[in-house]
């Protein structure tokens, strides 16, 4: 049976329990505790009186006061617990984050189709062990033409509408490079075979309409070794085109052509539908130039053509990007129109669109 604190203590107990229950904050509760159990608290005062009692009375009174003390201490602890819980609940509610709220849209950039196409080209040739080279946009006449077996006043120079600069490199006229082929020369002069490179970069020709821009992009390719043949050229380019366009069955045709820096030279066509622009159709579309590096070009770079041979190719990046993504007007590539970029640009996180076998 629960011990009672003693008749005369009941009003104090009732009053104290009511005050504890009424304390609305931890601080208020602490004040109540001090008023009961502090140095000059009500219960402390009663406990102090114990010393004045006769030993007989002291025992019963002591027991009664102890019961009261325990009751009040328990009530204080219980109230404290309740108040702390309430404070915590209030804090959690106040600090709640609404994870169901829709995120604010953040403007996100897109990868330009030219950059994206260059990355894909690099990925495919990278898997064939090619490395990437670059060269200057401002070239001199010798690298852009002469070393490539296009001597001064040769009619082949008229094939490319060249931008000549007023500046010159020594006594050689400076030009904006009309193709990436001068990087073939720079590489062969600075490195010994075997050579296996691609050269993505800017090129310039005085030409401007829906399919030609005075600045455009090409990727050159050059492979030089002791036993590199036309069969390697064909295999390498067929694999590339099928991987790039994502069609393992893409028709590819090699057609005899002429470039001063390759012999024999071949234009490469892919199957395409003239009416719908669909890849794989029954018409042919010229897509790049290629050939076996001309012995004169090797000799111009100090490579003995009796010991080494190889192939080269050059393709327009805009051209293949337009075909792959069905972009019709070349000029929009360079206008930085945000609506066009949103539509044709790529998410930085999107995987490359190359066929699975690759
Ligand atoms: N340089 C040529 C062009 O711009 C392409 C080409 C490169 C052809 C290499 C053959 C070999 O048209």
């Amino acid at each position: 049976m629960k011990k009672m604190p003693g008749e005369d203590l009941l009003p104090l107990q009732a009053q104290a329990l009511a005050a504890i229950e009424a304390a609305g904050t931890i601080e208020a509760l602490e004040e109540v505790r001090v008023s009961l159990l502090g140095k000059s608290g009500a219960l402390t005062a009663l406990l102090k009186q114990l010393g004045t009692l006769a030993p007989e009375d002291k025992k019963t009174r002591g027991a009664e006061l102890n019961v009261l003390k325990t009751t009040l201490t328990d009530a204080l602890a219980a109230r404290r617990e309740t108040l702390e819980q309430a404070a915590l609940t209030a804090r959690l509610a106040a600090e709640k984050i609404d994870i169901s709220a829709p995120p604010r849209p953040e403007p996100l950039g897109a990868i330009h189709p030219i950059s994206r196409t260059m990355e894909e080209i690099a990925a495919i040739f990278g898997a064939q062990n090619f490395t990437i080279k670059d060269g200057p946009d401002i070239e001199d006449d010798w690298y852009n033409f002469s070393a490539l077996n296009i001597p001064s006043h040769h009619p082949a120079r008229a094939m490319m509408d060249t931008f000549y600069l007023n500046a010159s490199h020594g006594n050689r006229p400076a030009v904006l490079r009309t193709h990436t082929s001068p990087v073939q020369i720079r590489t062969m002069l600075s490195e010994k075979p075997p050579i296996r490179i691609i050269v993505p970069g800017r090129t310039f020709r005085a030409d401007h309409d829906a399919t030609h821009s005075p600045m455009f992009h090409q990727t050159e390719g050059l492979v030089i070794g002791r036993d590199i043949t036309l069969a390697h050229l064909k295999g390498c380019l067929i694999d590339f085109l099928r991987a790039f366009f994502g069609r393992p069955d893409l028709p590819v045709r090699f057609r005899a052509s002429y470039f001063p820096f390759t012999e024999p030279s071949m234009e490469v066509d892919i199957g395409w539908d003239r009416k719908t622009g669909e890849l794989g159709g029954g018409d042919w579309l010229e897509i790049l130039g290629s050939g076996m590096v001309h012995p004169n070009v090797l000799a111009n770079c100090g490579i003995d053509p009796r010991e080494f041979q190889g192939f080269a190719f050059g393709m327009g990046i805009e051209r293949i990007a337009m075909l792959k993504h069905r972009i019709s007007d070349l000029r929009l590539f360079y206008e930085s129109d945000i609506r066009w970029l949103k539509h044709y640009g790529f998410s930085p996180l999107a995987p490359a669109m190359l066929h699975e076998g690759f």
Side-chain angles (χ1 to χ4, degrees):
M1 200 178 97
K2 198 171 179 234
K3 285 187 197 152
M4 293 298 288
E7 286 289 324
D8 67 317
L9 294 174
L10 287 178
L12 173 60
Q13 173 172 284
Q15 205 188 353
L17 289 177
I20 290 169
E21 222 34 59
T25 62
I26 305 269
E27 294 73 25
L29 185 64
E30 180 60 11
E31 272 173 34
V32 176
R33 188 191 67 80
V34 171
S35 75
L36 296 169
L37 297 163
K39 234 187 227 168
S40 38
L43 185 55
T44 314
L46 291 173
L47 285 164
K48 275 184 190 158
Q49 285 172 11
L50 275 177
T52 65
L53 298 180
E56 279 305 306
D57 298 338
K58 204 192 245 179
K59 203 176 164 199
T60 30
R61 190 59 172 169
E64 284 173 6
L65 287 174
N66 255 336
V67 172
L68 177 59
K69 188 177 178 184
T70 309
T71 305
L72 297 185
T73 319
D74 288 353
L76 283 165
R79 184 64 187 155
R80 172 173 280 272
E81 169 85 18
T82 306
L83 289 174
E84 278 174 354
Q85 271 302 329
L88 182 62
T89 309
R91 206 176 133 198
L92 285 176
E95 291 178 3
K96 187 167 125 189
I97 296 167
D98 182 0
I99 56 164
S100 69
R104 284 188 213 108
E106 268 188 51
L108 193 66
I111 307 286
H112 193 284
I114 296 288
S115 308
R116 176 63 178 213
T117 303
M118 283 188 178
E119 282 167 11
E120 291 182 357
I121 291 171
I124 297 170
F125 284 108
Q128 289 192 27
N129 277 338
F130 282 70
T131 53
I132 296 178
K133 290 268 176 230
D134 63 7
D137 290 353
I138 297 176
E139 266 297 0
D140 77 44
D141 180 84
W142 188 79
Y143 288 102
N144 196 77
F145 295 119
S146 312
L148 286 159
N149 202 35
I150 319 176
S152 332
H153 312 300
H154 188 282
R157 289 196 183 212
M159 281 165 62
M160 304 174 187
D161 302 294
T162 311
F163 286 113
Y164 283 89
L165 304 183
N166 287 330
S168 61
H169 288 181
N171 52 5
R172 299 171 185 168
V175 299
L176 292 181
R177 67 177 179 188
T178 57
H179 49 183
T180 41
S181 302
V183 187
Q184 287 188 34
I185 305 300
R186 291 182 176 276
T187 306
M188 287 191 282
L189 284 171
S190 64
E191 286 173 26
K192 290 194 172 11
I195 292 171
R196 201 172 175 83
I197 58 157
I198 55 164
V199 184
R202 286 196 187 90
T203 47
F204 307 84
R205 290 184 202 178
D207 212 351
H208 201 193
D209 59 34
T211 54
H212 295 91
S213 150
M215 189 282 297
F216 60 105
H217 298 79
Q218 286 192 334
T219 297
E220 195 79 8
L222 176 70
V223 177
I224 304 289
R226 286 179 199 279
D227 317 300
I228 302 294
T229 70
L230 196 83
H232 294 120
L233 179 164
K234 290 178 72 177
C236 168
L237 289 176
I238 291 171
D239 282 356
F240 166 74
L241 291 168
R242 290 182 173 166
F244 178 79
F245 287 111
R247 299 183 61 129
D249 55 351
L250 184 73
V252 181
R253 174 174 83 169
F254 292 80
R255 178 169 42 80
S257 181
Y258 171 76
F259 298 101
F261 31 91
T262 47
E263 184 58 37
S265 300
M266 288 171 299
E267 216 86 61
V268 185
D269 303 337
I270 57 173
W272 170 75
D273 189 307
R274 189 178 299 281
K275 285 212 188 72
T276 62
E278 203 76 52
L279 287 168
D283 303 309
W284 292 106
L285 182 69
E286 177 189 318
I287 203 101
L288 61 96
S290 69
M292 298 304 291
V293 177
H294 196 293
N296 290 352
V297 175
L298 293 170
N300 289 341
C301 300
I303 295 177
D304 186 345
R306 288 163 305 184
E307 216 183 315
F308 293 103
Q309 58 182 25
F311 65 86
F313 58 87
M315 65 187 144
I317 293 180
E318 283 80 352
R319 187 81 192 269
I320 59 174
M322 286 170 82
L323 261 174
K324 182 166 178 173
H325 305 296
R326 303 182 136 263
I327 302 172
S328 54
D329 192 329
L330 175 74
R331 288 168 292 202
L332 296 170
F333 272 101
Y334 317 111
E335 301 214 331
S336 302
D337 183 329
I338 206 81
R339 295 163 302 176
W340 186 89
L341 286 169
K342 273 214 171 98
H343 183 81
Y344 286 108
F346 294 89
S347 156
L349 299 175
M353 296 161 71
L354 307 173
H355 87 67
E356 286 168 19
F358 168 67

